[in-house]
Amino acid sequence: MKNSFHCDRLTRQWGPVLTGLLTQAEGDPVAIENGDAKGDFLFVCEHASSRLPERLGTLGLPKEALESHIAWDPGALAVSRLLAGKLDGTLIHQRFSRLVYDCNRPPESDAATPVVSEVYEVPGNRAMSAAERQARVDEVYLPFHETVSEFVAARKAVGRQPILVTMHSFTPVYFGKSRSVELGILHDADSRLADRMLAVATTGEVAYDIRRNEPYGPADGVTHSLIEYGVRHGLPNVMIEIRNDLIRNEVGQRVMADYLGGLLARSAAALPKK
């Protein structure tokens, strides 16, 4: 869905600014969908795409690596879109691979442009110059950061408090070890929404193996977006990690979105009213 907030902002600030990475034909690095949503949920998907800018080629990686979880979070965007539709929320997502720039990491983090991802060396990242890395910050991270930040500020300016939900998926096998956890409910300093989600999810029949701050947690550096767009603004926030074998096809994505939609709605309703 085209959105005036997104398009006006990009035309004003990001549209004409190119520093050597993206071409005009490749379009905006960040997308916003349902920007005029009536609901309070803001879904953010930092690892939505495996796409690489033409100027980066393959980063020296084989096809199987570029299609794997090191390049993106499979299924995360599809589930995010379904949730935004169910809950009349806004979705903001990154249009290029996390290997270009991981928008859930700040510019000072080495993990923002990884030279190794799990078992794969990333030659195109190891070989880049300081200027080339800065181009990725300028053309990928900063537009994403400003889009989310400006959306939150605009909502708060009219007296609306977004509920931030960052959406991710993870591989069932990591460094050769199987993971039994199916859903991770992650938080940083603010656990209000995570606490309620875990309480609701573990009441009665439990649908999935659901755990707090697994398979990753704050110590792994994965809560940058929660802190930057949620904690700093006093917004309820949570990061959802879905094991990607559960959402590999449309049926699984719809089942998961149905479950998470109900869980989020019930949990948000239980948050204290300001």
Side-chain angles (χ1 to χ4, degrees):
M1 176 178 177
K2 196 172 183 179
N3 180 270
S4 58
F5 168 82
H6 172 62
C7 293
D8 287 350
R9 193 194 65 79
L10 287 175
T11 300
R12 183 179 74 247
Q13 185 169 355
W14 298 110
V17 179
L18 295 173
T19 59
L21 176 62
L22 304 180
T23 66
Q24 292 284 2
E26 286 171 320
D28 302 329
V30 56
I32 181 167
E33 300 179 13
N34 201 21
D36 297 323
K38 303 301 182 186
D40 293 326
F41 283 102
L42 168 59
F43 296 97
V44 172
C45 194
E46 304 101 317
H47 307 152
S49 175
S50 61
R51 182 184 182 194
L52 295 178
E54 183 179 352
R55 288 171 176 164
L56 294 185
T58 65
L59 288 173
L61 289 164
K63 181 180 179 182
E64 62 267 22
L66 295 175
E67 294 176 349
S68 77
H69 69 277
I70 74 162
W72 66 317
D73 283 355
L77 178 59
V79 176
S80 299
R81 281 176 166 153
L82 290 168
L83 284 170
K86 288 177 179 295
L87 299 173
D88 194 12
T90 295
L91 168 61
I92 299 175
H93 62 91
Q94 174 53 243
R95 295 185 60 247
F96 292 95
S97 171
R98 65 200 291 176
L99 294 174
V100 179
Y101 189 100
D102 185 338
C103 284
N104 193 28
R105 299 293 194 279
E108 63 270 19
S109 171
D110 290 338
T113 52
V115 297
V116 178
S117 186
E118 197 188 1
V119 298
Y120 291 97
E121 290 271 346
V122 187
N125 285 354
R126 190 176 293 281
M128 68 180 166
S129 67
E132 288 168 337
R133 189 181 192 280
Q134 189 60 47
R136 299 193 195 187
V137 174
D138 293 342
E139 294 191 48
V140 178
Y141 175 73
L142 289 180
F144 184 87
H145 171 73
E146 293 299 329
T147 298
V148 181
S149 297
E150 290 183 13
F151 179 86
V152 169
R155 283 292 177 93
K156 291 182 70 176
V158 295
R160 296 180 63 184
Q161 176 175 261
I163 299 172
L164 175 67
V165 182
T166 66
M167 297 292 300
H168 296 261
S169 72
F170 64 95
T171 179
V173 179
Y174 190 60
F175 282 103
K177 294 183 178 181
S178 296
R179 291 159 153 174
S180 57
V181 59
E182 296 176 309
L183 275 177
I185 306 298
L186 283 60
H187 62 83
D188 200 276
D190 180 357
S191 67
R192 287 174 294 168
L193 183 53
D195 289 344
R196 281 153 184 81
M197 290 179 69
L198 288 161
V200 171
T202 55
T203 299
E205 184 177 352
V206 180
Y208 296 99
D209 183 338
I210 304 174
R211 304 182 196 178
R212 183 191 298 269
N213 283 338
E214 288 193 36
Y216 309 106
D220 300 302
V222 300
T223 55
H224 171 68
S225 291
L226 293 186
I227 295 169
E228 195 68 27
Y229 313 122
V231 175
R232 289 185 179 178
H233 293 276
L235 306 182
N237 63 88
V238 71
M239 178 176 172
I240 297 177
E241 283 274 8
I242 309 165
R243 205 174 68 194
N244 66 31
D245 59 315
L246 301 174
I247 52 173
R248 64 177 47 157
N249 57 37
E250 185 177 347
V251 172
Q253 292 158 7
R254 291 189 178 280
V255 169
M256 183 59 68
D258 284 344
Y259 175 75
L260 289 175
L263 179 59
L264 284 166
R266 290 171 64 192
S267 302
L271 289 169
K273 304 297 182 184
K274 286 193 173 182

